[in-house]
Amino acid sequence: MDYATSFGLIIPELVLTGSGLVLLMIAAFGGEKASRLVSILAAVALGAAGSLTIPALANGAGGDASVAFYGQISADAFSAFAKLLVYAAAIGCLMIAPAFFGQRRAMKPEYPVLVLFATLGMSIMVSATDLMTLYIGLELNSLAAYVLASFLRNDSRSAEAGLKYFVLGALASGILLYGMSLTYGFTGTTSFAGIRAAQEAGLSTGALFGLIFVLAGLAFKISAVPFHMWTPDVYQGAPTPVTTFFATAPKVAAVALTARVALDAFGSQADAWRQIVIFAALASIIVGALGAIGQNNLKRLLAYSSINNVGFILIGLAAATVEGASAMLFYLTTYVVMSLGSFVAVLMLRNGEGENLETFEDIAGLSSTRPGIALCLLALMFSLAGIPPLLGFWAKVEVFNAAIQAGLVPLAVIGIAASVIGAFYYIKFVKVMYFEEPVGRAIKGGSAAHWAILIICTLLISPLGFLLTRGLQAMTDTAAAGLFPGV
């Protein structure tokens, strides 16, 4: 394949790269006055990249025709679906940021530029078919994320979150890099196709250790137990728009990357990594559910919810089938909508001085003072809990069904039982908002952009959104098939 064809396959990444560099210049010369313009242009660039990605998903791209730069990147249907999800989440996070940072006089044009470069890294991550490309995409995303976590320089919580994220992220990168080195040493190649071919005859002990270290490094990125410890602190300390970004777009990219590494590079050795994934899935579901019960801070609770939901997503991956990968993508899409809506609702809770409210005491009796936000939160919490007929319920059905079809009945049964435990803290939201004496602290609401995103997310997870599930199912099936070209 010549370079012209390769460049044609990575047009979305080229658009993001060019846009990021241009916006960086505008930010440098325009100063804070250019914040609004840079935010709008960044959203336009993400929308343009998304529109250029749609054909790959619609055509079910896959095989050698979708591989660029001699096996470094694959612009197949799977990566296209993940990119669309990442771009949509990033646009949502750009829309909610100006109102939050504006009231603190902290809105700077660097924020949308950092989000754009982080998204570029994620775009490379989900397309990576080589360990080198994987690492470049991962670090590009991570370096931008460390800065975003500490974006409020005068806020000690934000600075602490950025420092914790950086130190633990560096540790995870070291673990991942060590695993990649072992994998290269025992397979003689860094390409996923080469690694898969080298294991056809069996998995050597050295390569097995490489696989374990690679999965451990990726487990940190998706907040899977036992590498989840950074999540509550970083989610609570980072500015809420940044937390919303962490809970959605990077989660999609990291899960998609984990799936590609497991199903592509180590696809012939599913029995070796399935045990690790099953442990991480069950531990994440249980630790996430139990950890959330004692939380009083809403952002920390949603952080544990994120850990809990990663467990359900990993159940789909553990199936190691087309149906499992499709269910995983279906759940991931639903999770992004629910998380985006939940964090935006929390972002809209402000007292008379405009300060954000983040505890259960603050939302007592919210249904009386802010009935619209309370109603949307009720629907989102019930969907996260998996209560029918909301979309979260159907997402859980998809992953459990895929696990049962793959013969993982005990995993599905334990997952169902653990999801009942998780329902407790979601219902606590509803109890506090609807059955406790109103405190009337949440006086101010959000901007028009906040309301628009909250209402759209609520409608998507409502029974009305169920009408879209058939189309979503078709897209996830097409995307999942891209990871199994021979099936």
Side-chain angles (χ1 to χ4, degrees):
M1 178 174 288
D2 56 31
Y3 282 108
T5 307
S6 293
F7 279 116
L9 290 171
I10 61 162
I11 283 181
E13 286 76 16
L14 293 177
V15 168
L16 294 181
T17 304
S19 302
L21 293 175
V22 170
L23 294 183
L24 192 61
M25 291 297 104
I26 296 175
F29 290 103
E32 295 185 13
K33 293 179 181 176
S35 299
R36 182 178 177 82
L37 174 65
V38 175
S39 294
I40 293 172
L41 292 178
V44 171
L46 289 167
S51 64
L52 293 168
T53 308
I54 291 174
L57 177 61
N59 298 330
D64 294 337
S66 66
V67 176
F69 298 108
Y70 305 100
Q72 296 292 310
I73 282 179
S74 177
D76 56 13
F78 178 79
S79 65
F81 184 88
K83 284 179 197 174
L84 287 173
L85 208 49
V86 167
Y87 298 159
I91 291 173
C93 294
L94 284 176
M95 289 175 63
I96 64 174
F100 177 87
F101 290 117
Q103 71 189 37
R104 291 164 176 74
R105 300 181 185 278
M107 185 62 198
K108 299 180 187 304
E110 288 86 351
Y111 178 81
V113 173
L114 286 167
V115 169
L116 201 60
F117 279 122
T119 307
L120 172 61
M122 291 177 237
S123 193
I124 296 173
M125 283 167 64
V126 300
S127 300
T129 50
D130 188 281
L131 294 177
M132 295 296 102
T133 320
L134 177 161
Y135 197 73
I136 290 170
L138 195 66
E139 287 306 298
L140 179 57
N141 166 50
S142 298
L143 290 174
Y146 301 146
V147 182
L148 284 171
S150 54
F151 198 76
L152 287 178
R153 288 178 296 180
N154 297 326
D155 187 332
S156 59
R157 292 192 313 166
S158 178
E160 182 183 345
L163 184 61
K164 281 183 178 176
Y165 197 25
F166 171 72
V167 172
L168 293 173
L171 175 64
S173 291
I175 293 172
L176 177 65
L177 200 56
Y178 184 59
M180 289 164 54
S181 303
L182 283 173
T183 303
Y184 172 69
F186 284 91
T187 61
T189 178
T190 57
S191 79
F192 289 0
I195 293 170
R196 188 173 63 248
Q199 297 165 1
E200 293 294 340
L203 190 66
S204 66
T205 305
L208 176 61
F209 274 99
L211 166 64
I212 293 170
F213 277 102
V214 167
L215 289 180
L218 293 175
F220 174 90
K221 299 298 180 184
I222 62 174
S223 308
V225 175
F227 302 99
H228 65 290
M229 68 293 289
W230 62 274
T231 312
D233 290 343
V234 173
Y235 275 36
Q236 183 183 2
T240 306
V242 176
T243 307
T244 310
F245 183 62
F246 288 170
T248 52
K251 188 82 77 179
V252 173
V255 168
L257 177 60
T258 305
R260 192 182 283 279
V261 169
L263 297 171
D264 189 357
F266 294 94
S268 60
Q269 300 296 329
D271 290 338
W273 56 259
R274 182 182 281 127
Q275 301 168 48
I276 302 171
V277 172
I278 288 176
F279 166 76
L282 292 178
S284 299
I285 291 172
I286 295 170
V287 171
L290 295 179
I293 289 175
Q295 301 302 321
N296 188 47
N297 184 281
L298 304 180
K299 288 170 69 179
R300 285 187 73 85
L301 186 145
L302 290 174
Y304 278 102
S305 167
S306 164
I307 297 167
N308 178 259
N309 278 285
V310 160
F312 292 111
I313 293 169
L314 290 179
I315 288 179
L317 176 60
T321 60
V322 178
E323 293 76 17
S326 175
M328 180 190 72
L329 293 175
F330 189 100
Y331 197 105
L332 199 55
T333 308
T334 309
Y335 164 77
V336 167
V337 175
M338 294 186 296
S339 290
L340 187 59
S342 301
F343 277 107
V344 169
V346 172
L347 195 61
M348 293 168 67
L349 301 173
R350 294 188 296 154
N351 62 18
E353 288 74 40
E355 297 170 344
N356 284 87
L357 306 171
E358 296 179 356
T359 65
F360 273 115
E361 288 81 5
D362 295 328
I363 63 169
L366 189 69
S367 61
S368 301
T369 55
R370 309 291 303 179
I373 298 176
L375 184 62
C376 292
L377 266 175
L378 179 145
L380 290 163
M381 291 302 114
F382 276 175
S383 183
L384 280 165
I387 295 175
L390 300 170
L391 198 59
F393 167 75
W394 300 109
K396 283 186 168 63
V397 169
E398 287 285 330
V399 293
F400 292 144
N401 188 39
I404 291 170
Q405 287 183 11
L408 303 174
V409 177
L411 175 62
V413 171
I414 296 173
I416 292 169
S419 65
V420 176
I421 302 172
F424 172 81
Y425 61 88
Y426 293 123
I427 293 174
K428 183 179 176 183
F429 255 92
V430 179
K431 170 187 169 290
V432 172
M433 291 190 299
Y434 281 87
F435 299 103
E436 292 196 359
E437 198 66 28
V439 294
R441 293 179 188 168
I443 298 173
K444 292 190 175 181
S447 65
H450 291 159
W451 275 110
I453 292 177
L454 181 60
I455 291 172
I456 290 172
C457 290
T458 306
L459 288 176
L460 287 176
I461 55 95
S462 71
L464 189 64
F466 178 75
L467 300 174
L468 302 174
T469 55
R470 183 168 295 181
L472 176 60
Q473 183 75 65
M475 285 193 287
T476 58
D477 287 345
T478 303
L483 280 180
F484 299 86
V487 178

